[in-house]
Amino acid sequence: MSEPKKHPIFNKPFLIGFLVFLLVLIISQTITYQRFQILQEAQQHEVNERVRKLKEDLQDIFGQSFDATQTLSFIIENYGIPNNFDSIAQLLLNSNKHIDALELVDDQGVITHVYPLIGNEVLGFNILKDSIGKEGALTTLKRRDYFTAGPISLKQGGTGFVSRRPLFNENGFAGFVATLVKLSTVVTAAQIDSLKNPNFSYQLAKINADQSEEIFYNNTKTSTEEAIKVPITTSHGEMKLYVISNQPQSYSTILFFFILGLLLALVCGAFTMFLLRQPIKLNQLVQEKIGLLKESQEKFTKAFQTNLMGMIMLDSERKVIEANDVVYKLLEVTREGLIGKTIMESAIAVMENYDDNEREKFWKHFLKHDKVINQKFKITLKSGQKLSLSVSIESLFFNDKQHYLVNLIDETKRKEAEEALELQNIQLKKTNSELDSFVYSASHELRAPLASVLGLINLILTEENKPGLVASLTMMEKSVRRLDDFIKDIIEYSRNKHLKVNVETINFTNLIESSIESFWYLENMNKIKVKINVDDKIDFASDKKRISILLNNFISNAIKYHDVSKRTPTIWISIKTSKKEAIIAIKDNGLGMAEEQLDKIFDMFYRISYQIMGSGIGLFIVKEVLGKLNGTIEVKSALGEGSTFTLKIPNGSDK
């Protein structure tokens, strides 16, 4: 037999080698370029991580200023300027380590109280007549809300940030509550000293009214044109921070891979030319392929022998040529008693309800369809043992010859395995049920002592006490209520998960009034107007507890996220029922949300602002409850304008 003719191109080893060189060069340089991109992305990722950590640190620093001014403002607005200002100020400074000083300013702009006084000798200084501090004070007054000015040159020396909150009473503007954070404190707390982290440098600038930048802190000579700009959004201030990576681009590694790829391409091209010139090499490759084929056959044999189900290989005459150990144990035969014989000859005494004619019909059916899957047989072995077998057969070619592969499964053992699995599933469901019960019970047990603590706090607050004690108890009450709200959220989540929907007629007016009364303790609750419009002429039925959970969440959020700078903070609650559904709309003119936040507010533990008390799972529970009730929700919101939540819940009156 003559050898097949080779393609003419194989007679040109130089051309083939050159083509191989080009191909390998393209692949290697593509990999080199991808590695270069990976290095760049890694450096960018490191910068992004530093930026993220820096934002968190700055938010923590200026968040402490916000918390301190809010707490001190609350004390002054409700109890007047305390006689023990220094004690309260010291308590606030101990709780907020990043604040350097606290100040009170009267309605004329004169600083009347300072703590600590040492190093801050500014008593009697009029900030409204100061060319440097006047701008920040007037901006705060114009905003009628908390504002951070800085960095600025301080009257007592140095540079820092002044955070103010305006005070108002029935006569109008009553002064400022202010905190002072020195620039050195920010540098230390945020770790923007490049000596501690030489991978980055920083520039801190103040944004002037004409949008020009005034550098107050700089520990690098690098240009900021390629720097990542980080606005300090938590301070409501006028600053910009530049983060600059000091790590140079590593081109030496890229050059190394470029040269390596070029050398690899040269070697591959040369090797290809050499290979085409050496027929012996090609023959070696053929032998290697034969070796791989043998290896594949060995793997098949190993898989055949180690399979957990019984496997038998039959030849074209239906005689056994190979079987695994499972078959020998299952049919109670030896290798000598099975190989070269049919299964019927070697193992089976009786096949119930299946004589020779039936077996031939079965085999013809298999040959017609080329496959049989899970055919059930009941057999009796020579020992008298009865088995229920599931038999599958498929044909295959092995060494260019017809063979048949038979799989045997002991149905008794399979059913035992299924029963064991079913028992395991029952135990797992029982464990899940017990876990739900534990969460529900534990949450109730936790709320009991919290209720006692809140009762004691309220009792002490009704008595005449020192202002410092009142302030401490007020802060303690807020913390306890925050924990209590979180536990209530856990209880509501647990109830929603394991309680069935209980349909009953709903009185929306009573539910709304009860919800509003339960939030009497929330800050500025008495300053918010609530307008209710309920049109429930058509009876509406649903799960009362779950409807109450929905109303409580939306009403409490509207109260927490109100905007006191507006003349009339208001919540509008509108409900209209029909035979099909109830449409519940809860609208407010509060702080509102940015568009990019709307897709995240229903995620577990997502919070719009860490400056406002909340667990972060309220709206997640809302989504879960609506799922139980087959309801829907629509959100519309804009920063500074407020939010509107519209719920549609099916009417279950017919149930």
Side-chain angles (χ1 to χ4, degrees):
M1 183 177 179
S2 60
E3 294 184 1
K5 294 183 179 180
K6 296 182 178 179
H7 195 280
I9 194 172
F10 290 100
N11 296 324
K12 301 177 181 179
F14 179 81
L15 177 60
I16 296 295
F18 179 74
L19 293 176
V20 171
F21 165 79
L22 287 180
L23 179 61
V24 175
L25 183 63
I26 291 172
I27 294 174
S28 64
Q29 299 316 308
T30 300
I31 295 174
T32 301
Y33 177 73
Q34 290 177 344
R35 179 174 178 80
F36 174 73
Q37 287 184 314
I38 291 172
L39 289 175
Q40 284 189 320
E41 290 174 358
Q43 290 184 348
Q44 184 64 37
H45 176 73
E46 185 177 2
V47 174
N48 292 340
E49 283 298 305
R50 178 57 188 146
V51 168
R52 181 189 61 78
K53 181 62 170 61
L54 195 57
K55 285 184 177 180
E56 293 178 354
D57 292 340
L58 293 174
Q59 184 180 34
D60 180 56
I61 294 168
F62 291 104
Q64 291 187 12
S65 293
F66 176 85
D67 292 341
T69 56
Q70 292 294 99
T71 302
L72 193 54
S73 298
F74 176 83
I75 295 172
I76 295 173
E77 288 178 346
N78 289 275
Y79 305 100
I81 299 177
N83 295 328
N84 58 340
F85 171 80
D86 287 353
S87 299
I88 294 177
Q90 184 178 8
L91 179 63
L92 290 174
L93 291 183
N94 290 340
S95 302
N96 301 277
K97 301 297 185 181
H98 299 318
I99 300 177
D100 294 302
L102 282 166
E103 298 177 356
L104 292 183
V105 182
D106 64 15
D107 57 354
Q108 300 300 315
V110 177
I111 299 176
T112 59
H113 295 74
V114 177
Y115 184 85
L117 185 59
I118 299 175
N120 298 285
E121 294 80 8
V122 291
L123 285 175
F125 178 71
N126 193 320
I127 63 174
L128 296 179
K129 295 182 179 180
D130 177 50
S131 60
I132 298 176
K134 178 179 179 181
E135 181 181 353
L138 292 178
T139 301
T140 305
L141 187 56
K142 181 179 179 181
R143 290 164 58 96
R144 300 176 66 86
D145 196 4
Y146 173 85
F147 181 74
T148 297
I152 60 174
S153 298
L154 303 174
K155 177 67 176 178
Q156 54 267 53
T159 305
F161 304 86
V162 180
S163 300
R164 300 184 181 91
R165 184 186 185 278
L167 297 172
F168 297 94
N169 55 28
E170 61 274 7
N171 297 322
F173 173 64
F176 297 102
V177 171
T179 61
L180 170 65
V181 179
K182 295 181 179 179
L183 178 60
S184 58
T185 301
V186 175
V187 171
T188 302
Q191 298 180 353
I192 59 176
D193 185 350
S194 62
L195 295 177
K196 295 182 180 179
N197 190 351
N199 292 335
F200 300 95
S201 297
Y202 309 90
Q203 286 186 6
L204 182 63
K206 176 183 178 183
I207 308 302
N208 297 318
D210 59 356
Q211 298 304 309
S212 62
E213 298 181 8
E214 183 179 358
I215 303 298
F216 273 78
Y217 177 79
N218 184 9
N219 62 1
T220 182
K221 296 181 180 179
T222 307
S223 170
T224 62
E225 292 181 359
E226 299 297 327
I228 295 179
K229 301 176 182 179
V230 185
I232 307 176
T233 57
T234 59
S235 64
H236 305 290
E238 45 196 7
M239 294 156 284
K240 182 179 290 184
L241 181 66
Y242 293 96
V243 180
I244 304 161
S245 175
N246 293 332
Q247 299 185 44
Q249 293 285 353
S250 180
Y251 293 103
S252 58
T253 303
I254 304 303
L255 181 61
F256 169 78
F257 278 98
F258 171 79
I259 297 174
L260 183 63
L262 181 61
L263 292 176
L264 180 62
L266 289 171
V267 170
C268 289
F271 179 76
T272 301
M273 287 187 291
F274 177 78
L275 190 64
L276 291 175
R277 291 170 180 171
Q278 303 294 327
I280 297 177
K281 297 292 184 180
L282 294 177
N283 185 55
Q284 290 177 346
L285 289 175
V286 171
Q287 295 302 319
E288 289 177 4
K289 294 297 182 181
I290 294 174
L292 291 175
L293 180 60
K294 290 182 179 179
E295 181 181 353
S296 178
Q297 291 176 344
E298 291 174 357
K299 289 181 179 179
F300 172 78
T301 302
K302 184 176 181 180
F304 181 88
Q305 292 296 340
T306 58
N307 201 297
L308 296 179
M309 71 172 66
M311 300 186 73
I312 302 174
M313 185 74 74
L314 306 178
D315 61 14
S316 58
E317 297 179 356
R318 288 186 272 170
K319 291 186 178 182
V320 179
I321 58 175
E322 190 58 78
N324 62 5
D325 292 339
V326 177
V327 172
Y328 300 134
K329 293 179 181 179
L330 186 64
L331 301 181
E332 297 179 352
V333 294
T334 62
R335 180 177 177 84
E336 293 76 15
L338 183 61
I339 301 300
K341 302 177 181 179
T342 66
I343 301 177
M344 299 302 301
E345 292 174 343
S346 60
I348 302 173
V350 179
M351 179 178 289
E352 298 179 15
N353 300 323
Y354 239 75
D355 56 20
D356 292 340
N357 292 331
E358 291 296 327
R359 283 193 289 272
E360 288 302 320
K361 288 181 181 179
F362 165 76
W363 193 257
K364 290 179 180 179
H365 172 78
F366 160 69
L367 294 176
K368 180 178 179 181
H369 296 88
D370 200 37
K371 181 178 289 188
V372 170
I373 298 177
N374 294 334
Q375 181 74 34
K376 301 296 189 298
F377 290 102
K378 291 183 179 180
I379 65 173
T380 302
L381 302 179
K382 290 182 178 180
S383 64
Q385 181 183 355
K386 294 186 177 182
L387 292 179
S388 178
L389 294 179
S390 178
V391 179
S392 298
I393 307 176
E394 59 180 317
S395 61
L396 53 83
F397 284 89
F398 192 70
N399 291 333
D400 296 328
K401 294 182 180 180
Q402 177 74 54
H403 291 79
Y404 305 103
L405 181 63
V406 181
N407 296 321
L408 303 179
I409 299 176
D410 187 342
E411 285 292 305
T412 303
K413 292 185 178 180
R414 184 181 65 81
K415 289 181 179 179
E416 290 176 355
E418 289 178 351
E419 291 173 357
L421 182 61
E422 180 66 22
L423 179 60
Q424 188 177 15
N425 287 335
I426 293 173
Q427 293 175 344
L428 183 60
K429 290 179 181 178
K430 180 182 177 183
T431 302
N432 288 337
S433 177
E434 292 173 349
L435 181 60
D436 279 345
S437 299
F438 171 75
V439 171
Y440 183 74
S441 301
S443 300
H444 276 283
E445 292 299 323
L446 286 172
R447 289 198 68 200
L450 287 178
S452 299
V453 174
L454 284 172
L456 291 173
I457 291 174
N458 289 330
L459 181 63
I460 296 173
L461 288 174
T462 59
E463 300 177 357
E464 294 184 0
N465 294 282
K466 294 181 180 181
L469 179 59
V470 172
S472 300
L473 288 173
T474 301
M475 288 186 285
M476 186 188 302
E477 181 188 25
K478 287 185 177 181
S479 298
V480 173
R481 288 197 182 279
R482 182 172 182 174
L483 179 57
D484 185 54
D485 288 342
F486 182 70
I487 295 175
K488 284 194 291 186
D489 285 340
I490 294 176
I491 294 174
E492 290 175 352
Y493 177 72
S494 177
R495 282 175 176 171
N496 186 62
K497 291 293 286 186
H498 74 268
L499 290 183
K500 295 181 179 179
V501 175
N502 182 28
V503 179
E504 57 183 305
T505 302
I506 303 295
N507 187 321
F508 282 107
T509 301
N510 291 344
L511 286 183
I512 294 171
E513 291 176 352
S514 175
S515 178
I516 294 173
E517 289 176 2
S518 67
F519 297 121
W520 61 269
Y521 60 88
L522 290 179
E523 185 179 2
N524 294 326
M525 176 61 189
N526 58 340
K527 298 180 182 179
I528 301 173
K529 292 184 178 180
V530 181
K531 296 184 179 181
I532 304 172
N533 180 23
V534 177
D535 180 4
D536 56 355
K537 296 177 182 177
I538 298 177
D539 288 342
F540 177 81
S542 187
D543 191 306
K544 183 178 180 180
K545 290 183 178 179
R546 287 182 167 89
I547 296 293
S548 181
I549 289 173
L550 296 175
L551 292 174
N552 287 342
N553 270 284
F554 288 115
I555 292 174
S556 65
N557 280 348
I559 295 171
K560 292 175 184 177
Y561 291 92
H562 70 280
D563 190 350
V564 294
S565 66
K566 293 181 178 177
R567 183 173 299 177
T568 55
T570 307
I571 302 172
W572 294 270
I573 303 174
S574 172
I575 298 177
K576 182 176 179 60
T577 62
S578 65
K579 292 183 179 180
K580 177 184 177 183
E581 62 190 4
I583 300 177
I584 305 172
I586 301 175
K587 178 182 178 183
D588 64 72
N589 60 350
L591 299 176
M593 295 174 285
E595 184 177 355
E596 60 269 16
Q597 292 178 310
L598 299 183
D599 293 334
K600 305 174 184 177
I601 59 176
F602 295 103
D603 295 342
M604 182 178 285
F605 298 120
Y606 179 78
R607 294 174 60 187
I608 296 172
S609 172
Y610 288 90
Q611 300 169 1
I612 296 177
M613 181 178 68
S615 64
I617 66 173
L619 289 181
F620 172 77
I621 295 174
V622 164
K623 182 181 68 173
E624 295 290 309
V625 169
L626 284 173
K628 285 281 188 179
L629 300 178
N630 295 321
T632 62
I633 185 169
E634 180 182 354
V635 187
K636 294 182 180 179
S637 185
L639 279 177
E641 297 180 9
S643 304
T644 301
F645 292 85
T646 304
L647 288 71
K648 294 182 179 180
I649 303 173
N651 193 341
S653 294
D654 57 342
K655 299 180 182 179

mmCIF file of all heavy atoms in Angstrom, residues 33-55:
data_model
loop_
_atom_site.group_PDB
_atom_site.id
_atom_site.type_symbol
_atom_site.label_atom_id
_atom_site.label_comp_id
_atom_site.label_asym_id
_atom_site.label_seq_id
_atom_site.Cartn_x
_atom_site.Cartn_y
_atom_site.Cartn_z
ATOM 1 N N TYR A 33 1.222 41.959 26.546
ATOM 2 C CA TYR A 33 0.372 43.149 26.657
ATOM 3 C C TYR A 33 -0.703 42.964 27.734
ATOM 4 O O TYR A 33 -0.986 43.886 28.515
ATOM 5 C CB TYR A 33 -0.284 43.440 25.311
ATOM 6 C CG TYR A 33 -1.245 44.599 25.342
ATOM 7 C CD1 TYR A 33 -0.788 45.906 25.434
ATOM 8 C CD2 TYR A 33 -2.615 44.379 25.308
ATOM 9 C CE1 TYR A 33 -1.675 46.977 25.472
ATOM 10 C CE2 TYR A 33 -3.507 45.435 25.343
ATOM 11 C CZ TYR A 33 -3.027 46.736 25.436
ATOM 12 O OH TYR A 33 -3.892 47.789 25.480
ATOM 13 N N GLN A 34 -1.270 41.757 27.807
ATOM 14 C CA GLN A 34 -2.270 41.495 28.837
ATOM 15 C C GLN A 34 -1.656 41.567 30.223
ATOM 16 O O GLN A 34 -2.286 42.064 31.163
ATOM 17 C CB GLN A 34 -2.904 40.120 28.601
ATOM 18 C CG GLN A 34 -3.807 40.064 27.372
ATOM 19 C CD GLN A 34 -4.354 38.679 27.117
ATOM 20 O OE1 GLN A 34 -3.858 37.689 27.656
ATOM 21 N NE2 GLN A 34 -5.383 38.590 26.276
ATOM 22 N N ARG A 35 -0.403 41.086 30.355
ATOM 23 C CA ARG A 35 0.268 41.178 31.653
ATOM 24 C C ARG A 35 0.497 42.641 32.022
ATOM 25 O O ARG A 35 0.363 43.030 33.184
ATOM 26 C CB ARG A 35 1.594 40.411 31.608
ATOM 27 C CG ARG A 35 2.350 40.479 32.917
ATOM 28 C CD ARG A 35 3.578 39.597 32.919
ATOM 29 N NE ARG A 35 4.302 39.712 34.168
ATOM 30 C CZ ARG A 35 3.975 39.089 35.286
ATOM 31 N NH1 ARG A 35 2.928 38.285 35.305
ATOM 32 N NH2 ARG A 35 4.682 39.249 36.387
ATOM 33 N N PHE A 36 0.858 43.443 31.037
ATOM 34 C CA PHE A 36 1.047 44.869 31.283
ATOM 35 C C PHE A 36 -0.258 45.496 31.782
ATOM 36 O O PHE A 36 -0.272 46.308 32.725
ATOM 37 C CB PHE A 36 1.526 45.551 30.004
ATOM 38 C CG PHE A 36 1.622 47.049 30.105
ATOM 39 C CD1 PHE A 36 2.637 47.649 30.832
ATOM 40 C CD2 PHE A 36 0.688 47.858 29.478
ATOM 41 C CE1 PHE A 36 2.731 49.024 30.926
ATOM 42 C CE2 PHE A 36 0.774 49.235 29.567
ATOM 43 C CZ PHE A 36 1.794 49.820 30.296
ATOM 44 N N GLN A 37 -1.365 45.108 31.152
ATOM 45 C CA GLN A 37 -2.663 45.633 31.587
ATOM 46 C C GLN A 37 -2.993 45.172 33.001
ATOM 47 O O GLN A 37 -3.536 45.940 33.802
ATOM 48 C CB GLN A 37 -3.767 45.176 30.626
ATOM 49 C CG GLN A 37 -3.746 45.899 29.272
ATOM 50 C CD GLN A 37 -4.915 45.476 28.403
ATOM 51 O OE1 GLN A 37 -5.213 44.295 28.287
ATOM 52 N NE2 GLN A 37 -5.567 46.444 27.788
ATOM 53 N N ILE A 38 -2.647 43.902 33.306
ATOM 54 C CA ILE A 38 -2.907 43.387 34.658
ATOM 55 C C ILE A 38 -2.118 44.174 35.695
ATOM 56 O O ILE A 38 -2.633 44.514 36.768
ATOM 57 C CB ILE A 38 -2.561 41.885 34.725
ATOM 58 C CG1 ILE A 38 -3.566 41.085 33.890
ATOM 59 C CG2 ILE A 38 -2.547 41.380 36.163
ATOM 60 C CD1 ILE A 38 -3.212 39.627 33.727
ATOM 61 N N LEU A 39 -0.840 44.477 35.389
ATOM 62 C CA LEU A 39 -0.022 45.273 36.319
ATOM 63 C C LEU A 39 -0.635 46.646 36.536
ATOM 64 O O LEU A 39 -0.692 47.151 37.665
ATOM 65 C CB LEU A 39 1.413 45.393 35.777
ATOM 66 C CG LEU A 39 2.262 44.119 35.810
ATOM 67 C CD1 LEU A 39 3.603 44.362 35.123
ATOM 68 C CD2 LEU A 39 2.490 43.673 37.246
ATOM 69 N N GLN A 40 -1.074 47.266 35.428
ATOM 70 C CA GLN A 40 -1.700 48.581 35.565
ATOM 71 C C GLN A 40 -2.968 48.502 36.404
ATOM 72 O O GLN A 40 -3.216 49.361 37.256
ATOM 73 C CB GLN A 40 -2.027 49.147 34.177
ATOM 74 C CG GLN A 40 -0.805 49.693 33.427
ATOM 75 C CD GLN A 40 -1.213 50.423 32.165
ATOM 76 O OE1 GLN A 40 -2.103 49.986 31.452
ATOM 77 N NE2 GLN A 40 -0.551 51.524 31.881
ATOM 78 N N GLU A 41 -3.777 47.463 36.142
ATOM 79 C CA GLU A 41 -5.014 47.320 36.902
ATOM 80 C C GLU A 41 -4.730 47.051 38.366
ATOM 81 O O GLU A 41 -5.469 47.522 39.246
ATOM 82 C CB GLU A 41 -5.853 46.181 36.315
ATOM 83 C CG GLU A 41 -6.438 46.509 34.947
ATOM 84 C CD GLU A 41 -7.137 45.308 34.314
ATOM 85 O OE1 GLU A 41 -7.130 44.230 34.936
ATOM 86 O OE2 GLU A 41 -7.668 45.465 33.216
ATOM 87 N N ALA A 42 -3.653 46.296 38.649
ATOM 88 C CA ALA A 42 -3.302 46.018 40.039
ATOM 89 C C ALA A 42 -2.915 47.304 40.765
ATOM 90 O O ALA A 42 -3.312 47.531 41.915
ATOM 91 C CB ALA A 42 -2.160 45.004 40.100
ATOM 92 N N GLN A 43 -2.100 48.152 40.084
ATOM 93 C CA GLN A 43 -1.727 49.426 40.691
ATOM 94 C C GLN A 43 -2.949 50.313 40.888
ATOM 95 O O GLN A 43 -3.099 50.967 41.920
ATOM 96 C CB GLN A 43 -0.683 50.133 39.829
ATOM 97 C CG GLN A 43 0.686 49.469 39.840
ATOM 98 C CD GLN A 43 1.721 50.242 39.045
ATOM 99 O OE1 GLN A 43 1.381 51.150 38.298
ATOM 100 N NE2 GLN A 43 2.981 49.875 39.206
ATOM 101 N N GLN A 44 -3.834 50.315 39.882
ATOM 102 C CA GLN A 44 -5.047 51.127 39.999
ATOM 103 C C GLN A 44 -5.925 50.621 41.142
ATOM 104 O O GLN A 44 -6.525 51.401 41.872
ATOM 105 C CB GLN A 44 -5.827 51.103 38.683
ATOM 106 C CG GLN A 44 -7.062 51.986 38.672
ATOM 107 C CD GLN A 44 -6.717 53.454 38.816
ATOM 108 O OE1 GLN A 44 -5.714 53.910 38.288
ATOM 109 N NE2 GLN A 44 -7.531 54.177 39.554
ATOM 110 N N HIS A 45 -5.990 49.282 41.276
ATOM 111 C CA HIS A 45 -6.783 48.704 42.355
ATOM 112 C C HIS A 45 -6.229 49.110 43.717
ATOM 113 O O HIS A 45 -6.988 49.410 44.649
ATOM 114 C CB HIS A 45 -6.785 47.179 42.221
ATOM 115 C CG HIS A 45 -7.504 46.482 43.343
ATOM 116 N ND1 HIS A 45 -8.867 46.501 43.455
ATOM 117 C CD2 HIS A 45 -7.031 45.775 44.403
ATOM 118 C CE1 HIS A 45 -9.221 45.827 44.543
ATOM 119 N NE2 HIS A 45 -8.124 45.373 45.133
ATOM 120 N N GLU A 46 -4.885 49.140 43.848
ATOM 121 C CA GLU A 46 -4.278 49.545 45.113
ATOM 122 C C GLU A 46 -4.623 50.995 45.439
ATOM 123 O O GLU A 46 -4.939 51.330 46.580
ATOM 124 C CB GLU A 46 -2.761 49.365 45.040
ATOM 125 C CG GLU A 46 -2.056 49.664 46.367
ATOM 126 C CD GLU A 46 -0.562 49.422 46.293
ATOM 127 O OE1 GLU A 46 -0.075 49.062 45.211
ATOM 128 O OE2 GLU A 46 0.114 49.603 47.326
ATOM 129 N N VAL A 47 -4.585 51.851 44.405
ATOM 130 C CA VAL A 47 -4.955 53.261 44.620
ATOM 131 C C VAL A 47 -6.422 53.353 45.022
ATOM 132 O O VAL A 47 -6.781 54.095 45.947
ATOM 133 C CB VAL A 47 -4.682 54.090 43.345
ATOM 134 C CG1 VAL A 47 -5.208 55.510 43.506
ATOM 135 C CG2 VAL A 47 -3.193 54.124 43.046
ATOM 136 N N ASN A 48 -7.282 52.593 44.323
ATOM 137 C CA ASN A 48 -8.717 52.653 44.630
ATOM 138 C C ASN A 48 -8.990 52.186 46.052
ATOM 139 O O ASN A 48 -9.849 52.743 46.739
ATOM 140 C CB ASN A 48 -9.504 51.793 43.641
ATOM 141 C CG ASN A 48 -9.482 52.367 42.241
ATOM 142 O OD1 ASN A 48 -9.216 53.558 42.049
ATOM 143 N ND2 ASN A 48 -9.747 51.541 41.243
ATOM 144 N N GLU A 49 -8.264 51.138 46.493
ATOM 145 C CA GLU A 49 -8.449 50.659 47.854
ATOM 146 C C GLU A 49 -8.021 51.711 48.872
ATOM 147 O O GLU A 49 -8.661 51.893 49.914
ATOM 148 C CB GLU A 49 -7.646 49.369 48.068
ATOM 149 C CG GLU A 49 -8.272 48.133 47.465
ATOM 150 C CD GLU A 49 -9.614 47.833 48.073
ATOM 151 O OE1 GLU A 49 -9.699 47.708 49.298
ATOM 152 O OE2 GLU A 49 -10.605 47.783 47.309
ATOM 153 N N ARG A 50 -6.915 52.413 48.559
ATOM 154 C CA ARG A 50 -6.472 53.476 49.473
ATOM 155 C C ARG A 50 -7.490 54.612 49.509
ATOM 156 O O ARG A 50 -7.788 55.162 50.575
ATOM 157 C CB ARG A 50 -5.098 54.009 49.014
ATOM 158 C CG ARG A 50 -4.560 55.157 49.883
ATOM 159 C CD ARG A 50 -4.468 54.754 51.328
ATOM 160 N NE ARG A 50 -4.137 55.878 52.196
ATOM 161 C CZ ARG A 50 -4.584 56.037 53.418
ATOM 162 N NH1 ARG A 50 -5.399 55.127 53.947
ATOM 163 N NH2 ARG A 50 -4.240 57.084 54.138
ATOM 164 N N VAL A 51 -8.040 54.933 48.344
ATOM 165 C CA VAL A 51 -9.054 55.987 48.271
ATOM 166 C C VAL A 51 -10.278 55.599 49.087
ATOM 167 O O VAL A 51 -10.828 56.410 49.842
ATOM 168 C CB VAL A 51 -9.447 56.250 46.800
ATOM 169 C CG1 VAL A 51 -10.681 57.122 46.723
ATOM 170 C CG2 VAL A 51 -8.300 56.923 46.068
ATOM 171 N N ARG A 52 -10.700 54.306 48.943
ATOM 172 C CA ARG A 52 -11.870 53.863 49.698
ATOM 173 C C ARG A 52 -11.626 53.944 51.204
ATOM 174 O O ARG A 52 -12.464 54.444 51.960
ATOM 175 C CB ARG A 52 -12.190 52.414 49.312
ATOM 176 C CG ARG A 52 -13.409 51.841 50.025
ATOM 177 C CD ARG A 52 -13.540 50.341 49.775
ATOM 178 N NE ARG A 52 -12.389 49.618 50.279
ATOM 179 C CZ ARG A 52 -12.212 49.328 51.567
ATOM 180 N NH1 ARG A 52 -13.101 49.690 52.464
ATOM 181 N NH2 ARG A 52 -11.140 48.668 51.957
ATOM 182 N N LYS A 53 -10.431 53.485 51.652
ATOM 183 C CA LYS A 53 -10.114 53.537 53.077
ATOM 184 C C LYS A 53 -10.032 54.978 53.551
ATOM 185 O O LYS A 53 -10.478 55.320 54.661
ATOM 186 C CB LYS A 53 -8.779 52.828 53.319
ATOM 187 C CG LYS A 53 -8.327 52.794 54.777
ATOM 188 C CD LYS A 53 -9.314 52.036 55.649
ATOM 189 C CE LYS A 53 -8.761 51.787 57.043
ATOM 190 N NZ LYS A 53 -8.457 52.996 57.781
ATOM 191 N N LEU A 54 -9.489 55.850 52.711
ATOM 192 C CA LEU A 54 -9.352 57.254 53.078
ATOM 193 C C LEU A 54 -10.717 57.905 53.247
ATOM 194 O O LEU A 54 -10.953 58.685 54.178
ATOM 195 C CB LEU A 54 -8.540 57.985 52.001
ATOM 196 C CG LEU A 54 -7.986 59.369 52.370
ATOM 197 C CD1 LEU A 54 -7.128 59.289 53.606
ATOM 198 C CD2 LEU A 54 -7.162 59.920 51.217
ATOM 199 N N LYS A 55 -11.644 57.572 52.340
ATOM 200 C CA LYS A 55 -13.001 58.117 52.461
ATOM 201 C C LYS A 55 -13.644 57.674 53.770
ATOM 202 O O LYS A 55 -14.308 58.467 54.440
ATOM 203 C CB LYS A 55 -13.851 57.669 51.272
ATOM 204 C CG LYS A 55 -13.546 58.404 49.972
ATOM 205 C CD LYS A 55 -14.509 57.964 48.879
ATOM 206 C CE LYS A 55 -14.277 58.742 47.597
ATOM 207 N NZ LYS A 55 -15.189 58.341 46.515
#
